[in-house]
Amino acid sequence: MAADNEIDIKDAFQCAQKGHSNKAKLVASLKNRYNKLEDKTLFHEEFITYLKHAMIVYKREPTVENVIEFVVRFTTSFQPPPKTDEEQREEDEEDDHPFLSFLFNFLLESHRANSHAVRFRVCQLINKLLGSMAENAQIDDDLFDRIHQAMLVRVTDKFPNVRIQAALAMTRLQQPTDPDCPTLNAYMLILENDSNAEVRRAVLSCIAMCPRTLPRVLKRTRDVKENVRKQAYQVLADKVYVRALTIAQRVSLLEQGLHDTSEAVREVVCTSLLPAWLLRLDGNVVELLHKLDVENCAETALEMLTAIFKGMDADDLLQNRVQLNNRKLIPVECLTCENVLYWRALCKFIKDKGDDGDEMLEQVLPDAATYAEYLYEYLKVVPELSEEQRADLTQLELVMTKDFISQQLIHLIGCLDTNEEGGRKRVLAVLQDMLALPRTPSSLIPLLTEKLLTLVLDDQRRIQTVAEIISDVRAPISEATQPVDENVSRRQQVQLAEVKVRIMEAKQALEESIAAQDFGRAAELKESITELENQRNKVLEEIAAITQPTNTEIRTEKNDPETLLRCLTMCAELLKQMKTKNRISPTISALMSSLILPSIASAHPTVRSMAVVCLGTCALHSKELANTHMVLLLQIAQLDEVKIRISALRAVIDLLLLFGFQLLSESGSGQKTQPPDRGEEEQEDEEKVAAQKEEDTAQSILMMLSELLDSEMSELRTETAQGLAKLMYMGRISSPKILSRLILLWYNPVTEDDVRLRRCLGVFFQLYARESRAHQEVVEESFLPTMRTLMKAPATSPLAEVDVSNVVKLFVELTHPSSLMKPSANTEEVGVHDYLAVRMCGEMLLDPTAPEVRLYAKTLSYLELTGDEIVRKDLLSLLQQLVQVVKDRVCLRALEKMISQLGASKEQAELVNASALQPLDVNADETVADEPLKAAKRSRKGQRKASTAKGGKKPSKKAESSEESSDGENVPDSVPATRPSRRAKIAAIEKTKLDLNPLLNQEANLS
């Protein structure tokens, strides 16, 4: 060291390696020395000479990282301090500092070095140098262009770490306002095409947000890697304002983020994205709901609200509640889609807390009777549009809004305290009245029926209640008036006139008899007059009865589509809520014969679809009904409209899952009576016929389902694939051909946009293969049919675009022994990978010149083979035959490597067996006794490394421990290991650290 405030370059680099050294002091001392030099050239050359020793190290050693940090600090110390705009404009013409320009020139000249370590350190230094400069720092335009061009080349480097540093180095070179910015173009290209997840993640962390880059960042939220998705959501939370996103983008982000398979990604959405959106909206949750289309994404909005509520304490929940009146209700005139959804989510969140939330729930929700009246008052005024009003979009939107609010209010019934009898009865009465009311919208019927059935627990009472409502809806009571018959009325009037005349004549004769004092005659006339008056009164009553129309109560059955749909919807909800153990009651049988089966033949598709749903659900409760109507459901699944075919297909799949494929064969055999005097041979023949019939039935159904997999209608294709996956997972079918079809469908580019299909099959393959070894054997049997289909696919087929190597990796992963949920306890059992290897070798022998031979040969090294002697001999024999007929060099190297590994494992097994057969001599020399053990461990270590390398998977803890033990000395297990002291540990760690001092001293001596 020349002076107290000066330091040699070599000493500076040696001190900089230590993490605890004061780098600021080192920088100041070396800078003083630099400033005193008149000729800077020697300093530059010596500095670069020592820097090169650090740049040739690729590993992130602490000493090297400290040196890099020191170089960056020293270089940026020559950067002038921040200045005002006027001073900056005055000094724009000045050049950069000589040392800064010299170092950049050196780095830019070295970025094309053959060593990937040098390229990595070059990009790292440029990244740190640019990042350490002040915000308003400026560099020469020529230097800017050179750095830009060099980093654009390095982002396409072969090594991911080099690409990461190059991408980070271009962070400050972006120009978001330039539509042709090459940096942004490179970033977007990396996000779309780079195969390394860390590179994509690094680009996400530094990319600037603009209308061009936003769609690419949004797409990364669906990346296959968890860290990339997590980084994408974090970038959106930090850099993107909620109003910069469309409603569809907001909803998609929430839906995908809250349902992500990774807990870390869901955590970022809940703790970063949602708080960032709320922060920009001043914490107004209802305003955030306004930014979403809650009418079309109610479930997503509810999940978002639940995530927000989890981050609040009890006081905040009650403070942020919607504006309720003194009755704890939102006034009807103030109800909106957003505040009623918020009210529902808040009540449900508090209700889910259990007993802890009862007191809070009483503050945000009234008693059941009060709420029932409130709900009835709102629902009975929901308008019903005519055909003319439906053409008016304003009226239609208003009705849809009221419909959505009604649904949320009905959902709130589930949060009410219905233990009190009076309140529960009032809620039941309101629900029954609304179901029977003709003005109730059809969209509310399923929800009203569901809430009604949740309040009635007994199945028989449920059936009776719903049947009465269906009867009132379909055949309402009406009063019929009978018209007056004019002929009868006229006859009655004539009769009345005759009676009146006779009465008058009798009265006149009575007066004459009294005047003549003929009292006997008078008495007779008086009796006659009385009879005539009674007759007159009777005629008057008849006339009165005829002239007044009679009102009689009659039931008129309605068969219009709307009425049938309402009744079928209630019936379907009832059947869904019923327990499958209960048999079909007479009431349900009556509904089946009077409502469901006649509706199957309806001319209206919506009625037919709901009738098919009812029929399929009803058949689940009775095997006899399933036998009777299975053929009908199969016919509907093939011939009707798409929506109805899907409903029938779901019913068929459910019946097969519950009863199995013997369902149709039992329908014919169950009706036949067996005579007691039949012989055993006849019984065996009939059993064979029945088994053959069952197999034929299953084959015909599977053939129909396979044809539906090729349907051009994506909904039908998806439903069929999902049904077949269920049948295979539940063990109803075990077919390698079906599994091959599903795998090909999953990889087919035609289904790329079918997210539901891809997600369903992706989950199914993993669960199915992990369930049991038998399932893995089915996967192994489907390997060759799948590969042959892909290899023979014509160029015009979409399957020609499938990456075959990716398909092979899937099969290897699904059949891996470690992927089983319950691995087999029998370690000597032949593995599925062994059979897969034999199949590959046999396929290669069929045509050694085929293009897939190279792929199969490479795949053999990925398989984890067991130590079965028979399988090893077969594989060795097949491999030796392949070596003689295969001409491709790459294939030959892979096959020879496989042969050597199998031979090594054979020698290892023989060695272990020989050591096991030797008698144990306790007096033998320890070194002599250890020799065979060491040799066995050496061979086992080599085999273990090879198997873990070709497995492509992270080894288990047991495997890691065995591998670590084989790397050191073979110490017997019985010898206890002494714990090293802290001083010994520190010494061992120091030995493993990289020290650049010998290289620096050697360089100094040479100079």
Side-chain angles (χ1 to χ4, degrees):
M1 192 174 292
D4 293 340
N5 57 349
E6 295 181 12
I7 189 172
D8 291 336
I9 299 176
K10 173 187 171 183
D11 296 336
F13 271 86
Q14 287 178 339
C15 294
Q17 296 180 54
K18 302 175 183 178
H20 55 78
S21 62
N22 190 344
K23 291 186 176 56
K25 185 176 180 181
L26 289 176
V27 169
S29 301
L30 192 60
K31 187 176 180 181
N32 288 336
R33 177 178 177 83
Y34 180 82
N35 291 332
K36 290 181 179 180
L37 294 175
E38 295 182 359
D39 186 9
K40 316 291 187 183
T41 305
L42 294 176
F43 183 92
H44 292 170
E45 293 178 356
E46 186 178 359
F47 190 91
I48 293 300
T49 300
Y50 291 125
L51 176 60
K52 287 180 179 178
H53 294 297
M55 292 179 64
I56 61 175
V57 181
Y58 182 69
K59 190 176 180 181
R60 304 294 289 266
E61 294 283 352
T63 55
V64 180
E65 297 300 320
N66 290 334
V67 170
I68 296 295
E69 185 66 27
F70 164 71
V71 171
V72 171
R73 287 195 181 190
F74 176 72
T75 306
T76 54
S77 66
F78 295 104
Q79 192 76 12
K83 299 179 181 180
T84 62
D85 294 340
E86 295 181 359
E87 294 175 345
Q88 191 68 37
R89 284 195 295 269
E90 292 176 359
E91 298 185 2
D92 279 346
E93 300 300 327
E94 296 183 4
D95 295 334
D96 296 323
H97 193 276
F99 184 80
L100 189 64
S101 300
F102 172 77
L103 184 60
F104 270 120
N105 289 331
F106 165 74
L107 295 175
L108 293 175
E109 291 172 358
S110 305
H111 85 91
R112 294 183 181 275
N114 293 331
S115 171
H116 62 278
V118 175
R119 299 197 302 272
F120 167 70
R121 294 299 177 183
V122 166
C123 296
Q124 183 187 26
L125 279 168
I126 294 177
N127 171 33
K128 289 182 175 293
L129 287 171
L130 294 178
S132 300
M133 292 182 178
E135 290 186 5
N136 59 350
Q138 293 186 358
I139 59 176
D140 183 64
D141 290 342
D142 181 51
L143 179 60
F144 177 91
D145 294 336
R146 291 176 61 197
I147 294 175
H148 205 177
Q149 294 299 324
M151 294 301 100
L152 287 175
V153 174
R154 292 278 67 80
V155 291
T156 60
D157 197 276
K158 178 181 178 181
F159 287 84
N161 283 336
V162 180
R163 300 200 299 272
I164 290 173
Q165 294 300 326
L168 295 174
M170 291 195 296
T171 303
R172 302 188 67 175
L173 307 181
Q174 303 176 80
Q175 297 175 347
T177 56
D178 183 6
D180 297 324
C181 175
T183 301
L184 290 180
N185 292 337
Y187 279 169
M188 290 187 291
L189 189 65
I190 291 172
L191 289 178
E192 289 291 331
N193 301 317
D194 200 293
S195 59
N196 188 275
E198 290 302 318
V199 178
R200 300 196 299 272
R201 181 169 171 266
V203 171
L204 282 174
S205 66
C206 61
I207 191 171
M209 287 293 105
C210 65
R212 292 176 56 210
T213 59
L214 180 58
R216 308 301 174 94
V217 176
L218 290 173
K219 191 174 181 180
R220 287 306 101 201
T221 58
R222 302 185 296 275
D223 197 278
V224 295
K225 294 296 183 180
E226 169 189 337
N227 290 336
V228 180
R229 299 197 302 272
K230 180 180 176 182
Q231 185 66 41
Y233 278 106
Q234 190 65 52
V235 169
L236 291 171
D238 297 338
K239 299 181 181 180
V240 181
Y241 187 43
V242 62
R243 290 178 180 172
L245 301 169
T246 64
I247 292 178
Q249 289 171 342
R250 298 169 198 157
V251 173
S252 177
L253 282 175
L254 291 175
E255 186 176 356
Q256 295 167 8
L258 294 174
H259 292 99
D260 198 280
T261 56
S262 169
E263 178 66 28
V265 177
R266 297 197 298 271
E267 186 71 19
V268 168
V269 175
C270 296
T271 59
S272 298
L273 185 66
L274 290 177
W277 286 3
L278 282 175
L279 183 64
R280 294 181 173 94
L281 297 173
D282 299 328
N284 192 338
V285 182
V286 178
E287 182 65 22
L288 178 58
L289 290 175
H290 277 286
K291 303 298 179 186
L292 306 175
D293 185 11
V294 294
E295 295 184 46
N296 294 320
C297 63
E299 293 302 321
T300 303
L302 284 173
E303 292 171 357
M304 180 196 73
L305 291 172
T306 303
I308 293 174
F309 293 153
K310 287 180 180 179
M312 296 181 179
D313 54 16
D315 296 335
D316 292 337
L317 284 175
L318 295 177
Q319 184 179 1
N320 293 334
R321 62 184 177 181
V322 290
Q323 298 299 323
L324 304 176
N325 56 18
N326 53 1
R327 298 173 61 199
K328 303 171 188 174
L329 297 167
I330 301 177
V332 174
E333 62 275 7
C334 299
L335 282 172
T336 63
C337 296
E338 288 76 21
N339 61 17
V340 73
L341 186 68
Y342 182 89
W343 189 23
R344 173 196 167 188
L346 180 61
C347 294
K348 185 177 183 300
F349 180 77
I350 298 175
K351 179 77 173 180
D352 291 341
K353 288 188 173 184
D355 297 338
D356 298 336
D358 290 344
E359 186 177 349
M360 294 175 58
L361 192 61
E362 292 177 358
Q363 302 182 39
V364 296
L365 201 61
D367 59 275
T370 304
Y371 186 80
E373 295 296 334
Y374 172 77
L375 177 64
Y376 184 74
E377 291 297 324
Y378 185 83
L379 291 181
K380 72 179 183 180
V381 297
V382 175
E384 185 178 7
L385 293 182
S386 62
E387 292 298 331
E388 296 179 356
Q389 291 175 329
R390 291 180 184 275
D392 187 357
L393 294 180
T394 304
Q395 291 290 333
L396 185 61
E397 184 178 356
L398 178 63
V399 171
M400 291 176 63
T401 300
K402 289 186 174 294
D403 189 28
F404 179 80
I405 295 173
S406 302
Q407 291 180 17
Q408 306 312 311
L409 293 177
I410 296 171
H411 276 295
L412 270 170
I413 294 176
C415 300
L416 295 174
D417 183 11
T418 54
N419 294 325
E420 193 266 324
E421 186 68 18
R424 187 169 62 85
K425 285 185 176 180
R426 183 56 192 150
V427 173
L428 278 173
V430 168
L431 292 175
Q432 290 177 3
D433 292 344
M434 294 310 303
L435 284 171
L437 193 66
R439 291 177 55 86
T440 304
S442 300
S443 57
L444 301 180
I445 298 299
L447 197 54
L448 288 169
T449 309
E450 178 188 346
K451 296 304 177 184
L452 174 68
L453 296 175
T454 54
L455 296 176
V456 182
L457 301 180
D458 183 58
D459 273 354
Q460 294 301 324
R461 192 180 169 196
R462 285 177 174 177
I463 295 171
Q464 181 181 357
T465 304
V466 175
E468 291 175 357
I469 298 174
I470 291 176
S471 177
D472 293 340
V473 170
R474 194 179 183 197
I477 298 175
S478 60
E479 295 182 353
T481 59
Q482 295 181 355
V484 178
D485 192 348
E486 295 181 357
N487 294 330
V488 176
S489 178
R490 189 178 299 109
R491 284 196 300 267
Q492 294 292 337
Q493 293 292 338
V494 171
Q495 186 179 359
L496 179 63
E498 291 177 356
V499 172
K500 287 182 178 180
V501 170
R502 292 172 62 187
I503 290 174
M504 291 176 63
E505 291 176 351
K507 284 183 178 181
Q508 186 177 0
L510 178 63
E511 291 176 357
E512 292 176 354
S513 298
I514 292 173
Q517 295 184 354
D518 188 359
F519 296 106
R521 173 70 177 166
E524 293 177 359
L525 290 173
K526 190 174 181 178
E527 291 179 358
S528 176
I529 291 171
T530 303
E531 292 178 359
L532 290 172
E533 287 180 349
N534 290 335
Q535 187 177 356
R536 183 192 62 184
N537 293 335
K538 185 178 179 180
V539 173
L540 288 174
E541 290 177 358
E542 292 178 356
I543 293 174
I546 292 173
T547 55
Q548 292 182 357
T550 57
N551 295 329
T552 58
E553 292 184 353
I554 61 172
R555 287 184 177 271
T556 305
E557 189 174 276
K558 299 167 65 177
N559 290 317
D560 58 288
E562 295 180 358
T563 303
L564 290 176
L565 184 60
R566 291 164 69 95
C567 296
L568 288 169
T569 304
M570 286 187 278
C571 185
E573 291 296 327
L574 171 64
L575 293 170
K576 289 177 184 177
Q577 296 289 340
M578 285 173 53
K579 298 177 182 178
T580 55
K581 297 180 181 179
N582 296 343
R583 300 188 64 183
I584 297 295
S585 64
T587 306
I588 297 296
S589 299
L591 288 174
M592 173 72 76
S593 59
S594 63
L595 177 64
I596 298 175
L597 291 178
S599 299
I600 294 286
S602 175
H604 296 82
T606 53
V607 177
R608 289 204 309 276
S609 178
M610 188 55 67
V612 169
V613 172
C614 292
L615 179 61
T617 312
C618 194
L620 292 173
H621 296 268
S622 171
K623 197 171 185 179
E624 297 177 358
L625 280 177
N627 286 333
T628 305
H629 301 293
M630 184 67 168
V631 177
L632 175 61
L633 291 172
L634 288 171
Q635 291 175 351
I636 295 174
Q638 291 177 305
L639 302 176
D640 216 316
E641 295 185 5
V642 177
K643 184 178 179 182
I644 305 172
R645 293 175 68 183
I646 290 175
S647 300
L649 184 61
R650 289 175 180 171
V652 169
I653 295 297
D654 290 340
L655 292 176
L656 292 177
L657 286 171
L658 186 61
F659 301 117
F661 280 86
Q662 66 271 19
L663 188 63
L664 285 175
S665 60
E666 290 181 358
S667 61
S669 60
Q671 299 175 357
K672 296 180 180 179
T673 59
Q674 298 180 355
D677 56 347
R678 255 187 342 174
E680 294 183 359
E681 295 182 358
E682 295 181 1
Q683 292 181 2
E684 292 178 358
D685 293 341
E686 290 192 2
E687 289 177 0
K688 291 180 180 179
V689 171
Q692 183 64 33
K693 183 178 179 182
E694 178 182 345
E695 184 178 353
D696 294 342
T697 303
Q699 290 294 334
S700 61
I701 295 177
L702 289 178
M703 188 177 297
M704 183 203 76
L705 295 176
S706 299
E707 292 174 356
L708 293 178
L709 284 178
D710 297 327
S711 174
E712 296 180 357
M713 292 167 282
S714 60
E715 299 89 352
L716 195 59
R717 185 174 60 226
T718 301
E719 202 64 42
T720 306
Q722 186 173 352
L724 287 171
K726 290 179 181 179
L727 291 171
M728 292 196 68
Y729 183 74
M730 297 303 295
R732 289 299 182 183
I733 57 175
S734 179
S735 172
K737 292 183 180 180
I738 295 294
L739 184 61
S740 176
R741 291 289 306 277
L742 293 178
I743 293 174
L744 292 172
L745 187 65
W746 193 48
Y747 276 103
N748 198 324
V750 175
T751 63
E752 185 176 1
D753 297 330
D754 197 341
V755 179
R756 180 168 164 247
L757 174 66
R758 290 288 182 100
R759 185 177 297 175
C760 167
L761 292 180
V763 173
F764 161 70
F765 293 144
Q766 297 294 333
L767 292 178
Y768 181 76
R770 293 175 60 192
E771 183 67 23
S772 66
R773 177 187 165 87
H775 289 180
Q776 284 192 341
E777 291 176 357
V778 175
V779 175
E780 180 260 332
E781 291 177 13
S782 66
F783 173 74
L784 286 183
T786 304
M787 298 305 299
R788 288 169 181 168
T789 304
L790 290 174
M791 293 300 179
K792 296 178 181 179
T796 57
S797 172
L799 292 177
E801 304 175 12
V802 177
D803 185 3
V804 183
S805 61
N806 195 0
V807 181
V808 173
K809 289 179 182 178
L810 174 68
F811 276 98
V812 173
E813 179 184 355
L814 293 180
T815 55
H816 202 278
S818 61
S819 64
L820 286 173
M821 292 182 182
K822 295 180 180 179
S824 176
N826 186 8
T827 57
E828 298 180 358
E829 187 179 12
V830 180
V832 180
H833 274 189
D834 296 310
Y835 295 128
L836 191 61
V838 173
R839 285 185 185 273
M840 288 185 186
C841 292
E843 188 71 9
M844 286 189 284
L845 283 173
L846 291 178
D847 187 3
T849 61
E852 62 267 21
V853 171
R854 177 178 292 189
L855 177 62
Y856 291 153
K858 182 180 178 183
T859 307
L860 287 174
S861 60
Y862 298 153
L863 303 178
E864 185 171 327
L865 305 177
T866 59
D868 186 78
E869 185 66 24
I870 299 176
V871 176
R872 188 188 300 112
K873 289 181 179 179
D874 293 341
L875 273 178
L876 280 173
S877 175
L878 290 171
L879 291 172
Q880 290 169 358
Q881 295 178 37
L882 282 170
V883 169
Q884 296 175 2
V885 295
V886 172
K887 304 301 181 184
D888 186 76
R889 292 184 178 180
V890 177
C891 297
L892 284 174
R893 285 198 296 268
L895 294 174
E896 290 171 355
K897 181 180 178 182
M898 196 68 190
I899 292 174
S900 62
Q901 290 178 0
L902 289 173
S905 60
K906 183 177 180 180
E907 293 174 2
Q908 170 194 346
E910 293 175 354
L911 190 57
V912 172
N913 292 333
S915 62
L917 293 174
Q918 288 179 358
L920 180 63
D921 185 5
V922 293
N923 298 321
D925 186 71
E926 185 177 72
T927 57
V928 177
D930 284 345
E931 283 301 323
L933 181 63
K934 289 182 180 180
K937 286 191 175 182
R938 279 197 299 270
S939 61
R940 187 182 302 115
K941 180 176 70 173
Q943 183 194 16
R944 185 64 187 172
K945 285 185 177 179
S947 63
T948 54
K950 67 192 176 188
K953 284 184 173 289
K954 184 177 179 181
S956 61
K957 292 182 179 179
K958 188 181 294 184
E960 288 178 357
S961 61
S962 64
E963 185 173 344
E964 290 172 1
S965 64
S966 63
D967 285 340
E969 295 183 358
N970 295 318
V971 182
D973 295 337
S974 59
V975 179
T978 58
R979 183 177 180 180
S981 64
R982 181 179 296 274
R983 197 172 290 176
K985 287 183 179 179
I986 295 174
I989 293 173
E990 291 295 332
K991 286 181 180 180
T992 60
K993 288 184 177 179
L994 179 64
D995 190 6
L996 297 178
N997 288 333
L999 293 174
L1000 299 177
N1001 293 331
Q1002 181 181 0
E1003 190 68 31
N1005 295 333
L1006 292 175
S1007 60

